Amino acid sequence: MFDGYDSCSEDSSSSSSSEDSEDEVPSIPASLPIIKNNGQVYTYPDGKAGMATCEMCGMVGVRDAFYSKTKRFCSVSCSRSYSSNSKKASILARLQGKPPTKKAKVLQKQPLMAKLAAYAQYQANQQNQAKSKSGFDWGQYICSNNLVGAPVSCFKHVPMGMCWGDIAEGVRVEVLNSDTNLSTKVYWVAGIVKLAGFKALLRYEGFDNDSSKDFWRNLCIPEIHPVGWCASSGKPLVPPKSIHHKYSNWKAFLVKRLTGAKTLPPDFATKVQENMQYPFKKLMRVEVVDKTHLCRTRVALVEQVIGGRLRLVYEESQDGTDDFWCHMYSPLIHSIGWSRSIGHRFKRSGQCGSLIDLFKIGSTKKLHLMKVKDVDQSGDWFKDGMKLEAIDPLNLSAICVATVRKVLADGYLMIGIDGSEAADGSDWFCYHSASPSIFPVGFCEINSIELTPPRGYTKLPFKWFDYLREMGSIAAPVKLFNKEVPNHGFRVGMKLEAVDLMEPRLVCVATVTRIVHRLLRIHFDGWEDEYDQWVDCESADLYPVGWCQLTGYQLQPPILILEASNCFIARLFVLTLVF
């Protein structure tokens, strides 16, 4: 609607309410599209006037305001531009492979709109399913407790995580106008008041400091559009009925308010759709950790893909219930043949005679999976028996005294937790040497983290120097550990959605309660601290607020809220019986 405008016309300077003259456009990062305007803003205030679309530039407005008897053009300039010469030039440009003119762009919109409409329907169905399952309202939870959500840019593995850009407070969008008596769908411009992950608190233009009609929306759902979408799609802009009386000239109001403001990129919805495509398909095969014997892997089949999270069913499962959830970038899954290539234990499936058979019946490609850092094991490297500190995979709230039990190829290590290892080594687990879940001796002490000593060890408080001397062991060299700390953007107190790694099918409402370099302490809202988990800042098991709604995954609300909801339902049931 506002693309390509140069300056404000005389109409744009017409009188409006005195309070409008005091408004200033807030400062917003400059990488988003800037709205330019020449005053050709058409509203549809009464729902009765006929609408028209300019055949030259695609402008949508009230039909009576259009130029010429046929009302085909929004202005004299558009009418003149639509001459035979300009049409020939446009056709010639397209034949030469040059960028299309405005007219060409308008003609090309319909196929894209049809695709987006189908995608919108799919997304709406997914989001409605997720909402009906959870019943949890992030917006109310954030506002009532004055909380802050971690920004989308903290999560590189989620849709739009790598291209979120400078979407911030003050950015304008076009959304459905719910404050109207009209029977047809109409839209209005709204500004972002607060951001929490994918979700934004929006306020219709014209409400100024009045928050009574503020509402939360997920910015990645199909109902959110950049300013100008209504014009190119033939949709009417109608001011909310609550403020319709405030200004006599809404055209001038929008020109003043929007000129120089920022909006979403024009291809935002397309990028969201592209980011929601995943390379994994049903019945693809992978090697994944055996949840009953952590020291080995098994073949599993992809049964379900939701937002990049995979439900894997172990190949020998008879009824499909022996499953395992993880993200496609999880370090727990690998391509077929990985175990053999590095010397890791592997439980061979009785359904396939050889490794070649597995490749024939549908394995994943390595490019689908998380890539690990290349290492040089030829020099000073980890050796069997070296001591270190590691997150216990069976108790993710604890960092424990641990030992390198076996050195594998490609930088992988088999690690055992001191004092709680099985005699056959069935509870050893595989970490890459660059894993952020293993640490040099003394890490916990330096960072004031409680180190869990070996089970049964009585010489407390635990001292590494004494323990190494007693065990006749040496500490793994500090230089071998990953010391890289990215500028992750997380802050203590930020809200997010996080996988409960002890029950990985669950994604829960969570909070960052502590940050140690790249290590995050994740607390599950409503649960005791003993259920907290240490997670890396780049873990694919962390998601921004609104991820579950966007992908259709079920979100687990805080346990206290869930209990209160169940209590309320129970009381209603009792009252029903009484009366």
Side-chain angles (χ1 to χ4, degrees), residues 450-463 466 470:
E450 182 181 356
L451 176 66
T452 302
R455 184 180 301 170
Y457 189 75
T458 58
K459 294 182 179 180
L460 303 177
F462 178 86
K463 298 293 183 182
D466 295 337
E470 291 172 17

Side-chain angles (χ1 to χ4, degrees), residues 475-488:
V478 174
K479 66 180 181 180
L480 299 181
F481 293 85
N482 179 13
K483 294 179 285 293
E484 180 185 353
V485 181
N487 184 19
H488 49 71

Side-chain angles (χ1 to χ4, degrees), residues 4 7 92 146 155 171 174 182 194 207 233 260 270 319 327 334 336 375 443 456 471 482 517 537 545 557 578:
S7 61
L92 180 60
N146 195 27
F155 310 86
V171 169
E174 291 179 353
L182 300 176
K194 183 172 184 173
F207 275 87
S233 305
T270 304
D319 55 2
H327 194 273
H334 309 276
I336 296 296
V375 296
F443 174 84
M471 302 301 295
N482 179 13
H517 306 303
C537 64
V545 168
V578 171

Side-chain angles (χ1 to χ4, degrees), residues 1 58-60 174-175 186-188 225-237:
M1 182 176 72
M59 173 67 67
V60 176
E174 291 179 353
V175 294
V186 294
Y187 297 80
W188 192 240
H225 311 281
V227 172
W229 176 83
C230 284
S232 61
S233 305
K235 305 295 183 183
L237 281 172

